[in-house]
Amino acid sequence: MPGENILVIAVAGLRAASLGAYGNTSFSTPALDQLAAESFLLDNCYADAVELPQIYRALWQSCHPLRGDSRVAGPALPRLLAERGFAATLLTDEPALAQLSGAEAFGELVQLTDAAPARADDAFQTGIARLFTAACDELQPSESKRLIWLHARGLYGPWDAPLELQEPLLAHEEGDPPPCEDLLPPDIMLDDSHDPDTAFRWSCAYAAQVMVLDACINAIRETLAEASDNGWLVVFLGLRGFPLGEHGRIGGIDGRLYVEQLHVPLLWRFPDGTGRLARSGELTSHLDLLPTLLDWVDGSVGLGSQSFDGASLLPQIQLADASARQELIAVGSGDTRAIRNAEWTFRRDDVASVDDIQGELFVRPDDLWEANDVAALCPEVVDNLASRLRDAIASFTAAAESS
């Protein structure tokens, strides 16, 4: 039976590849690895967009960004859970979040104010630790059922981790690069003028921030373990990834829709241990969060006129049933769109052009970082995926116009 409480931890800038459970061996994430061991893990979760308003339409309303603003989306997640007796709290260090559609449905908003970034002496003096400390305070026992949505700027917030966390990741020979001391996250387009070590140094600084996040997750786990009521469903997810030089960019928001910006972790830790130590390689996205939560709370997502672009993951988690989803469509900057299925990723920058179907094609899952464009070698695949992409865009557009 479902527990009484839901905790969603949503972290911006967290790449799936930065967690040990997704294959990272460059640095240690023991608390996140333990959380993964207690959870059902989705190997292939991809964000549907790169901008926060579109990401949260997917998360809170299960509404794909291709539907545009013309669609009148249904009630947001906090309102739907409030109707089911949940007290909903939004806890964040992102000032823009309170202005997003759906945020007004939370009964309580805990907004941490910005502080001038400063280099921390230990993990618990960092900006993200302040947010997670506030979250631990919110996790105390309560007489009502609760939804706590914790949104962290994460890797798009201050990079204030202790420098000592970077140092073991850097080589220690003469001429090796020093740690990054910048307190603000990078937003760099690489060119021939940059030092070859630039991406490596920033990757080590990124790793230090993830290690701080790991310490914060450990504090959450300890708080839940000490609580008299441990009936918490915990959902841990990345909102979008973070470029670290794979396609000539470090940081910022990369609307070109490569894997490093879209592939994110998604873990479901159920209070009764359902799905523990299991994982799925099926394609999933942020769209699936809302119907899964309602399915868990209600035992059904049949909500009359309410419709979702995502689907409940519970059949996968409980019965190991395969998902019916065959492909995912992502929306980037301008007219950039991408389509992913089990075998391919195809992305193009100008979907408005019907005659010109040029784009980039990558083999999944072999080409992990989408580094080898094989479009010229597989014209029939490109033609097929370009056609499917146009059809999906037309379908979403038609649905939006009819609503």
Side-chain angles (χ1 to χ4, degrees):
M1 294 295 292
E4 293 294 311
N5 304 292
I6 300 169
L7 170 64
V8 179
I9 303 173
V11 183
L14 186 63
R15 302 153 51 112
S18 63
L19 276 62
Y22 287 85
N24 172 46
T25 59
S26 300
F27 56 92
S28 177
T29 55
L32 286 163
D33 294 347
Q34 183 59 43
L35 178 64
E38 298 167 354
S39 304
F40 187 85
L41 185 148
L42 284 306
D43 280 311
N44 287 302
C45 180
Y46 290 86
D48 307 284
V50 295
E51 300 293 344
L52 277 185
Q54 294 174 322
I55 289 171
Y56 268 97
R57 275 168 59 91
L59 287 168
W60 285 348
Q61 296 175 299
S62 192
C63 180
H64 195 280
L66 276 175
R67 294 199 182 277
D69 294 334
S70 61
R71 171 183 169 180
V72 180
L77 170 64
R79 188 177 308 281
L80 291 168
L81 289 182
E83 293 171 355
R84 290 155 175 79
F86 284 78
T89 298
L90 176 60
L91 176 63
T92 183
D93 58 357
E94 172 55 72
L97 204 65
Q99 307 305 315
L100 299 184
S101 177
E104 75 286 347
F106 284 92
E108 180 185 16
L109 169 64
V110 180
Q111 173 72 66
L112 267 67
T113 57
D114 283 331
R119 182 66 57 193
D121 293 326
D122 63 61
F124 293 100
Q125 293 179 355
T126 59
I128 194 170
R130 290 178 57 236
L131 178 66
F132 276 79
T133 298
C136 289
D137 292 340
E138 290 287 334
L139 290 172
Q140 300 309 310
S142 171
E143 294 182 359
S144 61
K145 296 187 294 185
R146 304 191 65 195
L147 163 68
I148 296 179
W149 189 287
L150 169 60
H151 170 106
R153 286 183 296 170
L155 285 306
Y156 284 98
W159 284 30
D160 52 359
L163 290 179
E164 65 187 33
L165 294 180
Q166 295 185 46
E167 292 168 354
L169 305 175
L170 298 161
H172 293 287
E173 299 177 3
E174 184 177 352
D176 287 328
C180 286
E181 298 191 26
D182 299 62
L183 290 169
L184 297 179
D187 187 354
I188 303 168
M189 290 299 296
L190 296 174
D191 55 36
D192 293 340
S193 68
H194 285 92
D195 189 295
D197 288 325
T198 299
F200 174 62
R201 291 181 66 220
W202 281 112
S203 295
C204 293
Y206 179 95
Q209 293 302 131
V210 175
M211 287 188 277
V212 167
L213 171 65
D214 190 74
C216 294
I217 292 297
N218 189 57
I220 291 286
R221 292 185 65 254
E222 290 179 347
T223 299
L224 291 176
E226 293 170 358
S228 58
D229 175 13
N230 197 25
W232 286 86
L233 166 62
V234 179
V235 184
F236 178 82
L237 71 147
L239 292 168
R240 54 192 173 199
F242 197 93
L244 287 173
E246 294 84 357
H247 292 91
R249 186 183 187 109
I250 302 175
I253 307 297
D254 191 349
R256 295 175 296 171
L257 303 177
Y258 291 114
V259 63
E260 63 269 16
Q261 185 74 88
L262 297 185
H263 188 206
V264 293
L266 177 57
L267 312 175
W268 290 76
R269 197 205 77 168
F270 292 89
D272 63 357
T274 297
R276 181 183 175 93
L277 288 173
R279 60 201 304 157
S280 170
E282 298 296 326
L283 290 171
T284 56
S285 86
H286 291 150
L287 295 166
D288 301 325
L289 182 133
L290 171 54
T292 305
L293 285 177
L294 290 183
D295 196 1
W296 184 72
V297 170
D298 285 353
S300 170
V301 291
L303 297 176
S305 61
Q306 178 73 20
S307 61
F308 301 118
D309 289 330
S312 173
L313 299 172
L314 282 190
Q316 288 188 57
I317 297 170
Q318 296 175 335
L319 304 173
D321 282 356
S323 169
R325 179 180 282 121
Q326 300 299 313
E327 58 200 22
L328 291 172
I329 310 294
V331 173
S333 57
D335 285 327
T336 301
R337 305 289 184 265
I339 181 170
R340 284 175 171 81
N341 60 27
E343 298 176 325
W344 306 97
T345 293
F346 176 69
R347 61 162 298 279
R348 57 181 302 189
D349 295 319
D350 184 12
V351 296
S353 173
V354 175
D355 298 326
D356 181 8
I357 60 171
Q358 295 300 311
E360 291 181 297
L361 180 70
F362 307 101
V363 179
R364 298 191 68 243
D366 297 348
D367 188 357
L368 183 63
W369 294 111
E370 298 177 353
N372 301 297
D373 177 15
V374 296
L377 303 176
C378 308
E380 293 182 358
V381 175
V382 169
D383 184 61
N384 177 59
L385 291 176
S387 177
R388 293 185 67 84
L389 185 57
R390 285 195 299 267
D391 289 346
I393 293 170
S395 176
F396 277 115
T397 302
E401 291 175 349
S402 64
S403 61

